[in-house]
Amino acid sequence: MLGNIKFIGELGKLDMLHESILHKCIKQLLDKKKNQSVSDITEDLECLCQIMKTVGPRLDTERAKSLMDQYFMRMRVFAGNVDLPARIRFMLQDALDLRECGWVPRKVLQDNSPRTIEQIRHEASKDYGVFFPHNGPNLKHKDFFGGPYDDGIDMLGVPKRGGLSGGLSDVFMPSMGSIGTGPGVIQDSFNGYSPPLGRPRSPRAGDSRNANGNGNQGYQNYSNQKGQSQRQHDGNNQSNQGYQNRQGNQQRDLPPRFMKKGPFGVGSDEISLRPAKDSMVLKPQAPSMMPSARPSGGHMPQSAMMPSSAPQMAVPMPSQNQQSSPKSRARQLPAGDKPRNDKKKIPTKEELQKMTDSMLKQYLTDNNMSDAINTIRAMKAPKKFMSTVLCQLLTESVDKSEEEREHVSKLIENMNSQEVITEEHFLTGFSDVLSKLSDLESTVPLVKSSIATFAARAVISEVVSLVDLADPMKNGSYYPLFLLILQRIHKLKDKEWLVSVFNNSKIDLQSMLPEIDQNKERMMEILEDKHLSFLFPLQRMHTDLWKQVKQDPNASILYKWIKDNVDTKLQSDPGFVFTLTSIVLKYCTEESTLAEGTDKTQIPDKPAQEKEKANLGSLKPLLQAFVVDNISLQLSALYALQVHCYNHEFPKGMMLRFFVNFYDLEVAEEEAFLKWREDINDDYPGKGKALFQVNSWLTWLETADEEEESDEDDDD
C-alpha cells in the first residue's frame, strides 16, 4: 500500500491528478480509525505522512486551508497517542514540523554544494588538527628531511614519475615509478631494478618528495656520486638482482590475468605498447569529448594537452587510406562546426499566454475554426499547459457577448474532438477558473451565468461529464453555480435529456447545496424557485400530495388528483408506490400511534391502534388502485413500511400491526410478504430489525399457506 501511495503522490506532484482525488485519498487514510487494529492504523498513518510530504505544498492553499487545518489537527492528535509506535509518532511530528516551516525540508538548510580543495583542507584541519597547505608551482617548502617539497602531482592532476622524491627520499625510497600492474603497464627500472608488484603507496603529508618529480634521476645522482666504491656498486647490483628474482617468484604465483603478456604469447618478457583492439583510444571521439578551445590554426598543440613531465604513450593512428566505418563517418563534423539542435524550444508559460491571447483575438475577428486549431497546434505547448490555455480562453471570454461566448464554446468542442485537449484538461482549467471566481465577480457582472453557459455547452457536447463537473462544487462551493449549469442545460437542450443525464449521473443534489439547506424540504423549495423541480418528480409529488391529504383525506379525490397531475408512466413505477405508501403511513400514524408525547418503547393503547387502523382503512382503496395484482409494487409498499419504522426508531409492535393490517385489508398478498423476507436490498435500511419483529408472523403465514394447499389437494 505504501508503494501505491508514493506513486499517487508523485502523480499529484506532477499535476497529473486532480486535487480532489488527492483530498479523497487523505480523507480515506484519516477516516474510520476507531474499529481498526493498531497495525492497520500504523500503515494508514505512514501512508498519510508520505502523501503529505509529497503533495502537501500543492494542496496547502488558501482555498483548501480549512481542510488542511482539519487534516493536521487529526494528525496532531495521533502524534500524541502513546499507543502508536514511536516511529509513526515521529513521522507525524516531522510532517507537522514540515508544514510549520513552510514545506521547506531541514536538509535544504545544509550546504551540500561543491567545495574547493582549499575548503576541504580547512575542514580537515578542523577535524584532525593538521593543515595541509596548497603548493602551487612557484611555492617551495621543505620536507621533513630538508629536501624540496613536492606532492608528486603534475598540473593536470596526473601522478609524476617518481612522484615522492627529493631530500633524503632518494636514499630511503629509490623509485616510485610504478603506476600499477597487469598487461600493458609500463614499469620504470634502473640498473635492472623493478619496484614491488601491487598498488603504489598514496602520498601523505610528511613524506619526502622531489620537486623535479623524477625519482630515477635522483637515484642516478646518488649512485654516481664521487667517492662511491665499486664494491658498493656491485653490492647494489647484487641486491637488485635478488629483488628481481623475488619479483619473478611473486609473478609466477599471481593469477593468469596479472601475468605479463607479450605480443607472442603468455610469459613473454617483451611488452607491447600498442593498445588492445577494443581500447577506447582507437574508438572515434564524439564532438562533446573534443577540446572546446582551439588555436587559430584549428589544432591544439601537444604541449597544451599534457605537460612535458608527464609520461607519453605512443598511440597508433589509422592511416589515411584506412576507411572509417559509416557510424564513425556520421559522427565526424567539420572543424569549427557545432552540432545543430533541430528540436524546437518549448515555449514558456508567459509566451503561451501571449500566443493564446493573440489567437483568441484573431479567432473572434474572423471566426476561422481551422486556423485557430492550427495555431494552437503550432504552439507546441506541453500537455500540462493545455489546462492553462483553456483557463485563459474561459476567463478572457466571460465578458464577451453571447455570440462570442458561443464561438469560444465551439472552439473548445473542436479542440476536444480533434484530441488537442482531453476531459482532464478541461476539468483542470475549469477548476482554475473557479479559483479566480471571487476576483472575476468584482469586475465582471453575472460572471457565474457566463461560466455556467460554458460548462453547460461542454456537457452537451460531451467534452466533460456532469458528475465530474459537479465534483469541485460539492457542499455548496460556488453556490448556486451548479444549479445555474442545470438551468442552462435545460434551456439549451430539453427537459427529457436533462432528466436522463441527471438520473444516470446519480448526483446527490442535497450535497450540492450549502450545509444549512441540505434537507429534502428545503431542497424542493430551492428547486421550485429555480424551476428545476422536474428533476425530482417523486419528491415534488410527495410535497404536493401531502398538501392534498391534509386538506381532504378522501381516497377518490386523491386518486383523481394523481391521475391529473402525475405522469402516467410514473404511476407504475416502484418509486411512485413507495412515495404514495409513505404518505399514507404518515397520515395513519401522525395523530394516533405516533402522536406527540407517545412512548415508542411501549405498545400504544387500544384507541390509538384502532384510530391507526381506521385511517388505513379509509385510504385502502387508494393503495389497492395502484398495487393490485402486482407483486413488485406490493413489495415496494412493504419497503416503504420498513423505512417508515426505521425513521421512527422502530416503535414497538408497529411493523407487525401494519403487516397484519396489510394482509387483512388485501393491500399485499402472501407472495409479496414472503418475497420481502427473502429479498436483499441495501437501498432500504433497517431490514434486520424489521425482520426480527415479524419473523414469527411470516413463519405462521408460510405454514398456513402450505396447509391450505395440502387441504386443496386432499379435496381434489
Side-chain angles (χ1 to χ4, degrees):
M1 182 177 178
L2 182 60
N4 294 336
I5 289 296
K6 289 182 179 180
F7 181 65
I8 292 172
E10 292 299 329
L11 291 179
K13 187 177 179 181
L14 297 174
D15 293 341
M16 298 179 68
L17 289 179
H18 197 266
E19 293 182 4
S20 60
I21 299 177
L22 300 175
H23 281 292
K24 286 181 180 178
C25 294
I26 295 174
K27 290 178 181 179
Q28 186 174 359
L29 293 172
L30 281 172
D31 288 345
K32 299 180 181 179
K33 295 292 184 294
K34 293 183 179 180
N35 299 327
Q36 286 184 330
S37 62
V38 176
S39 60
D40 293 339
I41 296 176
T42 299
E43 184 181 10
D44 289 350
L45 293 180
E46 184 175 1
C47 295
L48 175 66
C49 295
Q50 178 64 40
I51 197 172
M52 277 298 184
K53 291 179 181 178
T54 307
V55 299
R58 179 190 172 192
L59 300 179
D60 197 5
T61 59
E62 289 295 331
R63 176 184 170 191
K65 186 176 183 301
S66 59
L67 286 176
M68 294 296 289
D69 290 341
Q70 295 179 18
Y71 298 157
F72 279 88
M73 187 180 302
R74 295 286 303 277
M75 292 171 65
R76 194 177 300 278
V77 173
F78 283 119
N81 188 355
V82 295
D83 295 335
L84 295 175
R87 181 177 69 89
I88 300 300
R89 287 188 279 118
F90 291 154
M91 290 178 67
L92 291 168
Q93 189 61 45
D94 290 342
L96 295 171
D97 295 342
L98 184 60
R99 191 194 186 204
E100 292 178 357
C101 295
W103 301 101
V104 178
R106 286 176 291 182
K107 292 183 179 180
V108 176
L109 303 178
Q110 298 178 0
D111 185 12
N112 295 323
S113 59
R115 293 168 294 177
T116 62
I117 297 178
E118 193 67 23
Q119 291 175 335
I120 295 175
R121 293 178 186 272
H122 282 288
E123 291 180 5
S125 65
K126 294 178 181 178
D127 295 338
Y128 303 107
V130 178
F131 179 72
F132 302 92
H134 174 65
N135 297 302
N138 298 325
L139 298 177
K140 293 184 179 180
H141 299 275
K142 299 293 183 177
D143 63 4
F144 179 77
F145 297 100
Y149 185 90
D150 185 13
D151 57 0
I153 307 298
D154 62 9
M155 296 178 63
L156 294 180
V158 180
K160 299 178 181 179
R161 299 180 63 185
L164 297 177
S165 60
L168 297 180
S169 61
D170 56 352
V171 177
F172 292 96
M173 292 187 298
S175 175
M176 288 297 292
S178 175
I179 59 173
T181 61
V185 175
I186 304 175
Q187 303 285 350
D188 289 342
S189 62
F190 177 76
N191 291 336
Y193 172 77
S194 297
L197 290 174
R199 298 173 57 187
R201 187 178 63 176
S202 59
R204 295 177 299 176
D207 289 342
S208 59
R209 302 166 185 248
N210 189 358
N212 60 13
N214 194 335
N216 292 335
Q217 185 64 33
Y219 188 84
Q220 291 174 359
N221 294 336
Y222 172 75
S223 61
N224 295 329
Q225 285 180 356
K226 293 182 180 182
Q228 182 179 4
S229 63
Q230 185 66 28
R231 182 179 59 187
Q232 184 178 0
H233 183 70
D234 295 340
N236 290 336
N237 290 337
Q238 294 176 1
S239 175
N240 292 336
Q241 185 65 32
Y243 187 87
Q244 290 177 350
N245 294 335
R246 291 193 301 272
Q247 182 184 4
N249 295 333
Q250 293 177 356
Q251 186 173 354
R252 285 193 296 270
D253 296 335
L254 290 174
R257 63 178 181 274
F258 292 122
M259 299 293 289
K260 290 184 178 180
K261 297 181 181 181
F264 304 104
V266 180
S268 176
D269 292 337
E270 297 185 11
I271 300 175
S272 175
L273 300 182
R274 184 180 299 277
K277 293 182 180 180
D278 57 349
S279 174
M280 291 293 295
V281 177
L282 297 180
K283 293 184 178 180
Q285 302 295 322
S288 60
M289 300 176 62
M290 299 298 182
S292 58
R294 294 176 179 268
S296 60
H299 300 283
M300 181 173 288
Q302 186 176 2
S303 59
M305 298 177 62
M306 184 174 293
S308 57
S309 59
Q312 302 293 328
M313 177 180 289
V315 179
M317 301 298 294
S319 60
Q320 295 181 356
N321 56 2
Q322 183 180 357
Q323 295 183 354
S324 59
S325 62
K327 185 179 292 185
S328 63
R329 287 198 303 269
R331 294 183 180 180
Q332 294 176 357
L333 293 175
D337 289 353
K338 295 183 179 180
R340 292 180 299 176
N341 188 7
D342 295 334
K343 187 176 180 181
K344 189 174 181 180
K345 181 182 177 182
I346 298 177
T348 61
K349 193 173 183 180
E350 291 73 15
E351 293 173 346
L352 281 176
Q353 291 176 350
K354 294 180 181 179
M355 290 188 287
T356 304
D357 182 66
S358 176
M359 181 275 299
L360 181 60
K361 291 179 180 178
Q362 184 64 29
Y363 171 69
L364 294 178
T365 302
D366 55 18
N367 294 329
N368 194 321
M369 182 71 67
S370 60
D371 288 349
I373 296 294
N374 293 332
T375 303
I376 295 174
R377 291 184 185 275
M379 292 180 184
K380 300 294 183 182
K383 291 296 184 182
K384 63 179 181 179
F385 285 162
M386 291 308 300
S387 59
T388 306
V389 175
L390 276 170
C391 177
Q392 185 176 354
L393 288 176
L394 295 176
T395 52
E396 292 186 2
S397 304
V398 291
D399 58 346
K400 305 293 183 183
S401 64
E402 181 67 27
E403 183 181 0
E404 290 176 327
R405 290 200 298 269
E406 183 178 356
H407 287 310
V408 174
S409 297
K410 291 181 179 179
L411 175 62
I412 295 174
E413 179 182 354
N414 280 270
M415 290 170 64
N416 177 256
S417 62
Q418 299 185 28
E419 298 182 353
V420 178
I421 61 171
T422 62
E423 181 182 4
E424 186 67 25
H425 293 146
F426 184 87
L427 288 173
T428 306
F430 186 73
S431 299
D432 295 339
V433 174
L434 294 181
S435 63
K436 302 176 182 179
L437 192 58
S438 58
D439 297 333
L440 293 173
E441 284 181 322
S442 60
T443 57
V444 181
L446 301 177
V447 63
K448 287 185 178 179
S449 298
S450 301
I451 295 176
T453 304
F454 283 124
R457 293 184 184 277
V459 173
I460 294 173
S461 59
E462 298 182 356
V463 175
V464 64
S465 64
L466 184 63
V467 63
D468 292 333
L469 189 67
D471 190 68
M473 292 176 278
K474 287 184 177 180
N475 295 322
S477 299
Y478 313 108
Y479 177 80
L481 180 59
F482 185 72
L483 298 180
L484 293 176
I485 294 173
L486 297 179
Q487 285 181 327
R488 295 297 182 273
I489 295 176
H490 179 210
K491 180 180 179 181
L492 296 172
K493 200 69 174 174
D494 53 59
K495 181 188 298 185
E496 289 74 14
W497 191 89
L498 176 58
V499 171
S500 176
V501 171
F502 182 80
N503 292 335
N504 292 333
S505 66
K506 297 182 179 180
I507 296 175
D508 183 8
L509 194 57
Q510 287 190 39
S511 65
M512 308 302 295
L513 303 177
E515 293 185 2
I516 193 174
D517 297 328
Q518 290 184 3
N519 57 77
K520 290 184 178 181
E521 290 76 12
R522 178 57 182 159
M523 181 187 72
M524 291 307 301
E525 293 178 3
I526 294 174
L527 292 180
E528 286 286 350
D529 183 60
K530 300 292 183 182
H531 304 287
L532 293 172
S533 59
F534 60 86
L535 292 174
F536 297 90
L538 296 177
Q539 188 67 30
R540 180 181 181 182
M541 187 203 76
H542 185 282
T543 303
D544 296 341
L545 184 58
W546 177 246
K547 293 179 181 178
Q548 294 294 325
V549 172
K550 295 290 290 184
Q551 291 178 3
D552 187 3
N554 184 282
S556 301
I557 297 176
L558 295 176
Y559 179 79
K560 185 176 183 303
W561 183 91
I562 291 174
K563 288 295 183 179
D564 294 339
N565 295 276
V566 180
D567 188 8
T568 306
K569 296 180 180 179
L570 193 63
Q571 294 176 14
S572 59
D573 187 80
F576 166 78
V577 175
F578 183 93
T579 303
L580 177 62
T581 306
S582 299
I583 294 174
V584 171
L585 293 173
K586 183 178 180 181
Y587 168 74
C588 294
T589 59
E590 187 177 49
E591 296 181 358
S592 58
T593 55
L594 290 180
E596 186 176 356
T598 303
D599 187 4
K600 298 178 182 179
T601 61
Q602 302 294 328
I603 297 178
D605 54 16
K606 192 172 182 179
Q609 296 185 30
E610 291 178 353
K611 185 176 181 180
E612 178 187 79
K613 186 175 182 179
N615 291 340
L616 179 61
S618 64
L619 295 179
K620 176 192 70 172
L622 183 64
L623 290 175
Q624 288 177 337
F626 294 101
V627 302
V628 63
D629 297 332
N630 195 322
I631 300 301
S632 61
L633 296 182
Q634 294 174 14
L635 181 64
S636 298
L638 296 180
Y639 274 122
L641 173 60
Q642 171 188 318
V643 174
H644 179 77
C645 294
Y646 172 82
N647 293 333
H648 293 87
E649 300 177 354
F650 285 97
K652 191 171 183 179
M654 177 176 288
M655 192 76 184
L656 179 60
R657 288 198 308 273
F658 273 100
F659 262 45
V660 173
N661 292 333
F662 277 8
Y663 180 75
D664 293 340
L665 297 175
E666 297 182 352
V667 175
E669 302 175 13
E670 295 88 344
E671 185 179 353
F673 288 106
L674 299 178
K675 188 176 181 180
W676 174 85
R677 183 179 65 175
E678 302 298 333
D679 189 42
I680 298 175
N681 195 330
D682 295 333
D683 295 336
Y684 306 107
K687 179 65 175 291
K689 199 165 184 178
L691 189 62
F692 178 77
Q693 290 190 5
V694 298
N695 191 42
S696 300
W697 184 83
L698 291 174
T699 304
W700 167 84
L701 181 65
E702 184 178 18
T703 305
D705 190 33
E706 292 176 354
E707 290 178 353
E708 290 179 0
E709 291 179 358
S710 61
D711 293 340
E712 291 177 359
D713 294 339
D714 293 340
D715 294 339
D716 294 340

